[in-house]
Amino acid sequence: MSSREQLTIATLNTRGTPLRGSQLADRYRAIGAYFDGSETAVVTFQEVHTYYHLRLLRTAMPSYAVSFQPSLAGPAGGVVTFVRRPAATRSYRRLPTGPGVPRWPRTKAHFKGVLLTRFDQVWIANTHLLANLDGDWSDASRFTPIHRAQLNALARVIASLEGPIVLCGDFNVARESTPYKEFLDRTGLVDAFGGECPPTFHAEYLGPGKSPHCIDFILTRGLEILTAEQILTDKLDLPQGPAYVSDHVGLCATTSAEGRQLE
């Protein structure tokens, strides 16, 4: 008999700005409380840079197990995936540094990668690409070559995986950019928001003349999208006053696989 099991997945870049006075511990407690009290089965986080960051989230999310690749300072690539029960498989792949950008951004590119977690027979891929410091996603942007190189490498990782996939994270490429469109064409992944996701970065954190874009995504293969929504869009009451829990907006999608028992 055909079964229809649902899987709810969320993603959030947790950094928050400015770095000074960012209320890190209070923000992470609020983030953890939000998800621990939800029905979300899988949460992918980005910019969890140290083991202190990780400990804050683990303490605030006791109903989850955590998947990450250890490194010297903290989770490799700053990417961490929380799941409602221990995952069967975990691996981490680094992304290339790519050409054409100044030394400092290129150095940071060494630390970018994708975390793969096998959960309920579904691959959960959690990634964070190099930040576009110029806010220019045109073909002429100096960041376009490195983003294309990283997305091409990410496409090869996706192609190597069999079965249903959910790819989440902060891509740092705009939805309307050429590298992003090429990536969708190459992988066949489907945007959970149907290409209509509003901006995922709070405008007040941008410089003068800059406009927010949709740069965070939930992409799927082999799964039906039932619902998709933005989450943690408003300021919360923190001890030092109302504040966003991150400079990014979170995304959440509920998926299903017909004729497949997710277990």
Side-chain angles (χ1 to χ4, degrees):
M1 184 173 68
S2 175
S3 64
R4 187 181 178 92
E5 294 292 321
Q6 296 184 6
L7 183 65
T8 300
I9 303 168
T11 188
L12 177 69
N13 181 315
T14 66
R15 178 187 169 186
T17 56
L19 290 178
R20 180 175 296 178
S22 71
Q23 304 186 68
L24 175 65
D26 293 327
R27 289 191 302 102
Y28 268 40
R29 291 188 191 102
I31 291 169
Y34 174 86
F35 287 114
D36 209 61
S38 75
E39 299 296 322
T40 310
V42 178
V43 188
T44 66
F45 292 118
Q46 301 85 47
E47 296 212 58
V48 183
H49 287 305
T50 70
Y51 290 115
Y52 171 66
H53 289 72
L54 181 59
R55 185 168 67 252
L56 288 172
L57 286 175
R58 293 181 97 163
T59 300
M61 300 174 67
S63 65
Y64 287 84
V66 62
S67 171
F68 67 98
Q69 177 69 32
S71 71
L72 185 61
V79 287
V80 175
T81 299
F82 279 72
V83 292
R84 284 292 185 181
R85 54 185 176 274
T89 307
R90 183 207 72 225
S91 65
Y92 179 81
R93 315 276 182 87
R94 286 182 58 183
L95 297 178
T97 57
V101 295
R103 178 176 297 178
W104 172 237
R106 191 170 182 182
T107 298
K108 294 178 69 174
H110 282 284
F111 301 98
K112 300 303 181 182
V114 55
L115 175 70
L116 304 174
T117 305
R118 184 81 162 172
F119 179 78
D120 281 357
Q121 300 183 33
V122 176
W123 283 106
I124 309 297
N126 179 8
T127 195
H128 184 204
L129 275 58
L130 182 68
N132 186 330
L133 302 180
D134 299 338
D136 174 13
W137 286 279
S138 70
D139 290 350
S141 169
R142 61 178 177 162
F143 284 90
T144 294
I146 190 169
H147 281 150
R148 181 172 279 120
Q150 290 188 327
L151 287 169
N152 285 342
L154 190 56
R156 290 192 292 271
V157 172
I158 296 302
S160 71
L161 304 175
E162 296 183 356
I165 296 173
V166 181
L167 171 61
C168 304
D170 176 7
F171 284 49
N172 275 313
V173 295
R175 185 184 63 211
E176 61 271 21
S177 69
T178 299
Y180 175 70
K181 294 175 182 177
E182 292 172 344
F183 178 73
L184 289 188
D185 289 341
R186 180 172 178 178
T187 61
L189 292 169
V190 176
D191 185 344
F193 287 79
E196 299 297 329
C197 184
T200 57
F201 197 89
H202 292 295
E204 67 186 67
Y205 292 119
L206 295 172
K210 300 291 185 181
S211 299
H213 293 262
C214 177
I215 58 175
D216 302 79
F217 301 97
I218 297 177
L219 309 176
T220 70
R221 184 187 75 193
L223 295 166
E224 179 185 359
I225 304 299
L226 301 179
T227 63
E229 62 177 335
Q230 290 192 318
I231 56 174
L232 296 169
T233 57
D234 300 322
K235 292 183 178 180
L236 300 183
D237 290 326
L238 300 183
Q240 296 182 36
Y244 294 116
V245 295
S246 174
D247 48 5
H248 286 249
V249 173
L251 303 178
C252 184
T254 298
T255 70
S256 75
E258 289 189 330
R260 180 188 305 274
Q261 182 66 40
L262 300 179
E263 59 184 33

